Amino acid sequence: MRKKVSIIGAGNVGATLGQLLAIFEISDVVLYDIIQDMPQGKALDISQMLNIFNSDSKVIGTNDYKDIEGSDIVVITAGAARKPGMSREELLSFNAGIIKEVSNNIAKYCDSNKCVVIVVSNPLDAMTYLTYKVLSNYGFTKNRVMGMAGVLDSSRFVHFISEKLNVSKNNINAFVLGSHGDTMVPSVKYTTVAGISLENLLNPQDLDNLIQRTRKGGAEIVSLLKNSSAYYAPAASTFKMIKSIIFDKKEILPVSVYVDGEYGYKDIVIGLPVVLGKGGVEKVIEFNLTENEKKELDISANKISELCKELYNLKVLV
């Protein structure tokens, strides 16, 4: 029996993710959106495509939260996307109310002992923190609520390295930790090309340029698209996380997780390397970071902490 993945928000990211899951027959898919008839139309369009790929996945669109009942995984993509010049943090007050409502409906229809929730909405770290805090009141443990950020940021880092060195992306392993924003930490120590450290392949200036471009990767796409933000790579990154969970692959991936002492941080959500399997976040891997990387991660953690506190100032959390 196929697993059931529900996607809250059938915009560009949500619909692209649903298409990937259905094409590769990873799961049945529910596309939920508040816009009347829109998710139904996208679901029908995807469904009419699947015979070409020999897929029997079922895809439905809905405006009723009840249809997410029994989901194995729920992905939250709902909320406003960034516009040119807008930071992820500026989205906080607008999207917080939406995410709180979504979280309460997930709790209403999904089993806290079965369902894993992946947050994609921005600002990612704060929205994942909010989702966890709401769902924890209904029995969801911290391993079952996570944010998609590090997989995307690492994929961007890989792309830029591949372009610069003119080598296959398949030879590159990258880790980007910390926040999903300007204070993210692309780890030079744990990013390698065919096992060779980046420091041995790039001069400091070129390396810093790649790091800075990775940090601005999402904003670069927003500035080019004008009226939209990235969606192909975010959807594919979420797809990778879902596969690791559904097939219990236990891949080590950078994922935004709620921490309670790991790396010295408490009561925030931050991107760290984890083992991702059928139980969700099965383990947080504690790497020995360089002194500079740990300092940068501390800066990132402080930035995230400020955003999380703002949720209480806005009375979204009490």
Side-chain angles (χ1 to χ4, degrees), residues 221-233:
I221 292 174
V222 169
S223 69
L224 292 168
L225 294 178
K226 305 295 191 295
N227 296 313
S228 178
S229 57
Y231 51 95
Y232 294 123

Side-chain angles (χ1 to χ4, degrees), residues 73-314:
I73 297 174
V74 175
V75 179
I76 304 175
T77 72
R82 280 199 296 169
K83 294 179 173 60
M86 180 186 288
S87 70
R88 291 182 176 90
E89 290 77 11
E90 287 176 303
L91 287 175
L92 181 68
S93 60
F94 184 87
N95 282 348
I98 296 171
I99 300 306
K100 185 172 183 179
E101 178 189 349
V102 169
S103 300
N104 280 319
N105 277 287
I106 291 171
K108 183 176 180 180
Y109 292 109
C110 298
D111 185 348
S112 62
N113 295 311
K114 172 190 175 185
C115 183
V116 172
V117 180
I118 301 174
V119 181
V120 183
S121 307
N122 278 316
L124 189 282
D125 309 291
M127 294 302 97
T128 305
Y129 180 86
L130 172 59
T131 301
Y132 170 67
K133 285 295 184 178
V134 173
L135 290 179
S136 65
N137 294 325
Y138 299 94
F140 281 77
T141 53
K142 65 177 185 176
N143 62 297
R144 291 192 173 273
V145 181
M146 67 197 74
M148 186 292 298
V151 177
L152 169 61
D153 296 326
S154 298
S155 185
R156 286 172 172 162
F157 197 26
V158 166
H159 173 70
F160 297 142
I161 294 167
S162 174
E163 274 194 330
K164 182 65 179 176
L165 295 176
N166 194 27
V167 300
S168 169
K169 294 180 175 71
N170 294 330
N171 288 135
I172 304 170
N173 288 311
F175 270 100
V176 179
L177 309 178
S179 76
H180 186 49
D182 294 344
T183 61
M184 68 178 68
V185 185
S187 173
V188 175
K189 181 177 181 180
Y190 292 106
T191 297
T192 59
V193 180
I196 304 167
S197 171
L198 273 185
E199 292 176 311
N200 295 324
L201 297 170
L202 292 167
N203 64 54
Q205 184 59 57
D206 286 340
L207 186 53
D208 184 63
N209 289 341
L210 292 181
I211 289 172
Q212 295 307 321
R213 192 176 180 194
T214 300
R215 286 175 173 157
K216 303 290 186 181
E220 182 178 356
I221 292 174
V222 169
S223 69
L224 292 168
L225 294 178
K226 305 295 191 295
N227 296 313
S228 178
S229 57
Y231 51 95
Y232 294 123
S237 300
T238 312
F239 175 78
K240 183 176 179 69
M241 291 173 64
I242 290 171
K243 282 203 305 178
S244 192
I245 294 167
I246 286 179
F247 298 118
D248 196 27
K249 293 167 71 70
K250 301 189 188 301
E251 289 186 273
I252 297 178
L253 299 171
V255 172
S256 295
V257 291
Y258 181 83
V259 289
D260 190 24
E262 294 90 346
Y263 286 82
Y265 308 128
K266 291 179 73 71
D267 195 34
I268 61 169
V269 163
I270 189 167
L272 297 173
V274 310
V275 176
L276 206 56
K278 65 180 180 181
V281 175
E282 298 190 350
K283 183 180 181 181
V284 175
I285 306 294
E286 298 208 42
F287 290 162
N288 292 316
L289 300 173
T290 66
E291 183 178 350
N292 184 59
E293 286 175 345
K294 184 58 169 68
K295 286 181 180 178
E296 289 186 339
L297 196 61
D298 288 344
I299 292 170
S300 193
N302 288 334
K303 181 69 172 178
I304 294 167
S305 180
E306 290 174 7
L307 284 178
C308 293
K309 289 176 182 175
E310 187 62 22
L311 292 170
Y312 290 95
N313 293 335
L314 292 168

Side-chain angles (χ1 to χ4, degrees), residues 27-43:
S27 67
D28 290 333
V29 177
V30 175
L31 291 176
Y32 169 88
D33 205 283
I34 60 171
I35 300 176
Q36 199 69 25
D37 296 333
M38 183 268 276
Q40 291 88 337
K42 291 190 176 184

Side-chain angles (χ1 to χ4, degrees), residues 16-31:
T16 304
L17 173 59
Q19 182 185 43
L20 289 171
L21 292 169
I23 285 175
F24 290 96
E25 213 170 14
I26 303 301
S27 67
D28 290 333
V29 177
V30 175
L31 291 176

